[in-house]
Amino acid sequence: YNVSDAAGNAAPTVTRDVIVADTIAPTITLIGSSPVNHEQGVTYTDAGATANDGVDGDLSASIIVTGAVDFNTAGTYTLSYNVSDSAGNAASTVTRDVIVADTIAPVLTLLGDNPIDHPVGEIYVDSGASASDSFEGDISGSIIQGGAFDQNTVGTYTLTYNVSDTAGNAAAQITRTVNVVSPTTISTEVESETLVGVTAASAPETGFTGAGYVPLSAAGYIEYAFTSYSVPYDLTLRYSSTELTAVSIEIILNGVSQGNLSLPSTGSLSAWADSALMALTPLSGSNTLRINISGASASNIDAATLTPQ
């Protein structure tokens, strides 16, 4: 700075040094929250951060992140974010805590039927359950089964299944109802049931039970409804036959074919015998049994019997 007065006297020169420099540090801003709750076993992808400087502008690409997250191991992990501008000004370190934990409960799946009818006095073997955990996988071996049960006493029993993973997450309990039952023999005189395409007779044969029998000379079927437990039964037909070749009778339970019963000759139409056994497992409650007849001129059916195994 210089100046002179009107007489020409010059003032001593005065100077000022102006030092231009970047002295303001950048600012780091986290993207997302801190802390972050992260599910154990799931790959962790960090949301990152942004950095802005008054001179250099956007420095996000220059951010250095230190620290690591082991997503397979529960714990709290700290990530640090740092950046400096071209003048060497360092931003204040910003951190994020990542809390890795297993928070998802296992899932229980019942194996086998529910409810179950079980014959009284027979050894009961439970079908069990399976358990799967999102982190630990198959933990079926850790299932705890509970519930009082007495296979020797008729009644309704509830079995419970519970499991927790190592993180302490408990699965929703599942249950199975076991009905300990005392099934009885179910018999019917076929002539009194629904007859389609066939008719009942009471002569000329003798030795039948009930009011008569059903000749198999025409094609059709005998159908009857019954109530039972869902336990194994043996079906037999009381019949007579003089056919040289054994008569084959189809058995249909609740609309599903169970195969054929063979009725060999009994030597006389008044000589009655029981067929071989056919194992059936009906529904618990109402059922429909159909005896399909294809037409055998020298055979009769007198009765049908379901005997608990």
Side-chain angles (χ1 to χ4, degrees), residues 272-297:
W272 302 91
D274 287 330
S275 68
L277 302 177
M278 173 181 279
L280 303 175
T281 301
L283 301 174
S284 181
S286 299
N287 296 268
T288 301
L289 187 76
R290 177 177 291 189
I291 302 168
N292 264 354
I293 300 165
S294 58
S297 59

Side-chain angles (χ1 to χ4, degrees), residues 118-121 149-157 178-182:
H118 181 72
V120 65
F149 180 75
D150 183 357
Q151 66 192 22
N152 294 314
T153 303
V154 171
T156 298
Y157 301 89
V178 181
N179 300 308
V180 177
V181 297
S182 181

Side-chain angles (χ1 to χ4, degrees), residues 4 22 31 51 55 69 74 92 122 129 155 173 198 202 209 218 235 275 278:
S4 295
D22 178 6
I31 299 173
V55 174
V69 176
S92 297
E122 293 189 10
Q173 183 185 82
V198 294
S202 58
T209 59
L235 171 69
S275 68
M278 173 181 279

Side-chain angles (χ1 to χ4, degrees), residues 226-249:
F226 64 95
T227 300
S228 68
Y229 297 112
S230 184
V231 299
Y233 290 79
D234 287 325
L235 171 69
T236 57
L237 300 180
R238 189 170 190 268
Y239 77 99
S240 65
S241 176
T242 57
E243 292 281 354
L244 295 178
T245 302
V247 178
S248 185
I249 301 294

Side-chain angles (χ1 to χ4, degrees), residues 14-107:
V14 176
T15 63
R16 187 199 313 271
D17 290 338
V18 180
I19 302 171
V20 177
D22 178 6
T23 62
I24 300 175
T27 301
I28 298 174
T29 303
L30 280 180
I31 299 173
S33 61
S34 180
V36 171
N37 293 310
H38 184 73
E39 190 63 33
Q40 188 175 359
V42 178
T43 300
Y44 176 75
T45 301
D46 191 61
T50 60
N52 189 67
D53 184 68
V55 174
D56 295 341
D58 187 359
L59 293 176
S60 302
S62 299
I63 294 174
I64 297 173
V65 182
T66 57
V69 176
D70 182 357
F71 58 84
N72 285 315
T73 303
T76 299
Y77 302 87
T78 300
L79 301 178
S80 298
Y81 306 78
N82 291 280
V83 73
S84 295
D85 60 21
S86 56
N89 299 301
S92 297
T93 299
V94 174
T95 62
R96 187 195 321 269
D97 287 337
V98 181
I99 303 169
V100 176
D102 178 6
T103 64
I104 300 176
V107 176

